[in-house]
């Protein structure tokens, strides 16, 4: 709330968070929380990509303040890490099925 409102995470930061999630070990609850974080990161990046695509339109794009976050689009590395996270964190068929509905 008190930080710089014009600073956004870039792809490097999102990928680092995804990588940390992919390497999470421990109980089922820990793995499910890590998977939730990974999905949230992907959803944020997809949203940023859609907003960035809107900026190509005449009316602009970005958030409600007109800010753009063009540096956080998912790339090949992002998708690779996300799939690694899915593979590592979803160990049972039931877990895979429950997450596949979200993704």
């Amino acid at each position: 709330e008190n930080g710089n409102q014009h600073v956004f995470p870039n792809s490097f930061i999102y990928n680092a968070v995804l990588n940390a999630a992919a390497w999470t070990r421990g109980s089922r609850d820990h793995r499910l929380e890590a998977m939730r974080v990974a999905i949230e990161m992907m959803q944020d990046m997809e949203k940023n990509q859609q907003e960035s695509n809107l900026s190509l339109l005449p009316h602009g794009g970005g958030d409600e303040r007109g800010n753009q976050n063009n540096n956080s689009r998912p790339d090949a590395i992002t998708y690779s890490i996300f799939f690694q996270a899915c593979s590592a964190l979803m160990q049972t068929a039931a877990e895979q099925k429950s997450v596949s509905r979200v993704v």
Side-chain angles (χ1 to χ4, degrees), residues 2-69:
N2 297 327
N4 188 336
Q5 300 297 315
H6 302 286
V7 176
F8 299 97
N10 60 20
S11 295
F12 181 80
I13 299 301
Y14 278 104
N15 289 346
V17 173
L18 283 170
N19 193 56
W23 284 94
T24 297
R25 301 297 180 258
S27 70
R28 180 177 184 273
D29 288 341
H30 285 117
R31 289 184 286 108
L32 289 176
E33 176 64 14
M35 193 67 230
R36 186 196 61 75
V37 168
I39 291 169
E40 184 178 320
M41 294 297 102
M42 290 300 296
Q43 289 172 335
D44 283 352
M45 291 185 82
E46 291 290 337
K47 179 183 173 197
N48 291 336
Q49 183 174 16
Q50 290 171 358
E51 289 174 354
S52 177
N53 291 340
L54 285 176
S55 68
L56 301 174
L57 299 175
H59 71 279
D63 64 14
E64 63 276 1
R65 297 176 307 274
N67 295 323
Q68 306 283 328
N69 188 7

